[in-house]
Amino acid sequence: MKNLFSIITMMLFAVCVHAQTIRKGDKFFDGATLYTVQDVRMNKYVYMTGSDDSELSLEKVDGKAGMYTLQPSRQADDAPFGAQFGWRVQYIRQDGMNFLALRKPSGDAMWIFVLTPDDIDDCIEQQRLMKQELPSEITSNTLLNRHYLAEIPNKKELRLMRNEILARHGYRFKSRDLQEWFGQQFWYKPGNNNNAIKLNIIEQTNVQIIKSEEDARGDE
């Protein structure tokens, strides 16, 4: 399993060639707050304000397309989202998805902001509708966010959700409990080569964002 997560991380970094630049007026939604880019100074320093009156500041990394770092804003004493200042924020554009991925030093995505043309009311309504769907119906075509995952009752359900993304591609599990659980699902057909599994950009990101929510819950 660890090797697969390493592969997923490398795949996510490989999409930098599809990256684009954050622009003034862009809006990004993280599941609760809509961030609007108020200024981009010198094509490098990005300043956003949130619908909850928060602030978010990024600095473009020279020579790395679509890569930024999280920076202190005027209001901030501590970094938001459980992150640390200096962590990388990657702007990804692939398969019709435009989003920011805040990454841990390991490279794993730990917070997601989706580019949107909508206002905050429409974004909140979309979040509400997403919560009405079964996780198994959206994990392959909808980017999850930490606010959505925070309402999953326990780490066991999060772990099953994360591994179901792999199971639907025929991942062969080593853990006995996962073998037994997915072995009971009529759709599960384990393959012979885990390394041949290819996840789309949404699935790759969802695997990591779910794992980040699991990690945040500690020894729950």
Side-chain angles (χ1 to χ4, degrees):
M1 183 71 73
K2 183 177 181 181
N3 289 338
L4 182 62
F5 284 128
S6 298
I7 292 171
I8 290 172
T9 297
M10 289 188 290
M11 290 170 68
L12 281 166
F13 274 113
V15 302
C16 281
V17 294
H18 298 282
Q20 64 182 34
T21 302
I22 298 173
R23 296 179 173 84
K24 183 176 180 179
D26 283 349
K27 295 185 289 185
F28 297 91
F29 183 62
D30 75 345
T33 302
L34 183 65
Y35 293 91
T36 302
V37 179
Q38 302 295 342
D39 193 16
V40 181
R41 300 191 305 276
M42 302 171 60
N43 199 34
K44 183 179 179 70
Y45 302 101
V46 178
Y47 171 66
M48 308 184 197
T49 56
S51 52
D52 59 355
D53 296 326
S54 59
E55 296 179 341
L56 189 60
S57 296
L58 307 177
E59 181 178 346
K60 195 173 189 303
V61 178
D62 292 335
K64 291 186 179 293
M67 197 68 73
Y68 297 77
T69 56
L70 184 64
Q71 296 294 322
S73 64
R74 294 173 296 186
Q75 298 178 356
D77 293 323
D78 300 306
F81 319 118
Q84 295 182 24
F85 293 125
W87 283 13
R88 295 295 178 95
V89 179
Q90 185 182 10
Y91 193 0
I92 297 171
R93 176 170 58 89
Q94 183 175 334
D95 297 337
M97 293 302 304
N98 290 20
F99 64 97
L100 301 176
L102 172 58
R103 300 192 179 284
K104 301 177 183 178
S106 66
D108 290 347
M110 58 87 64
W111 209 271
I112 297 297
F113 312 79
V114 177
L115 182 69
T116 178
D118 298 322
D119 60 23
I120 184 60
D121 291 335
D122 288 338
C123 289
I124 293 297
E125 176 63 13
Q126 292 167 20
Q127 181 80 356
R128 185 187 68 82
L129 293 174
M130 185 170 71
K131 293 176 182 178
Q132 295 179 352
E133 301 289 339
L134 292 174
S136 60
E137 295 178 350
I138 64 173
T139 51
S140 291
N141 55 36
T142 302
L143 277 172
L144 305 181
N145 56 63
R146 293 288 295 277
H147 294 283
Y148 171 88
L149 295 172
E151 298 191 17
I152 304 299
N154 54 62
K155 288 181 67 172
K156 179 180 178 180
E157 290 190 36
L158 286 167
R159 179 169 176 261
L160 290 175
M161 182 192 304
R162 170 169 55 86
N163 282 287
E164 183 171 325
I165 297 172
L166 305 174
R168 289 188 176 275
H169 287 271
Y171 190 89
R172 186 177 291 274
F173 297 99
K174 294 181 179 179
S175 301
R176 182 174 296 277
D177 63 327
L178 295 176
Q179 291 176 355
E180 293 177 351
W181 173 261
F182 290 112
Q184 298 172 18
Q185 312 307 315
F186 72 90
W187 47 262
Y188 179 57
K189 295 178 175 57
N192 296 318
N193 184 4
N194 287 343
N195 291 329
I197 292 174
K198 297 185 182 298
L199 306 183
N200 64 39
I201 188 64
I202 293 175
E203 293 168 325
Q204 294 171 37
T205 306
N206 283 345
V207 166
Q208 290 195 354
I209 206 72
I210 295 170
K211 186 63 168 61
S212 290
E213 177 66 22
E214 292 177 73
D215 292 343
R217 298 195 188 191
D219 297 327
E220 177 184 286

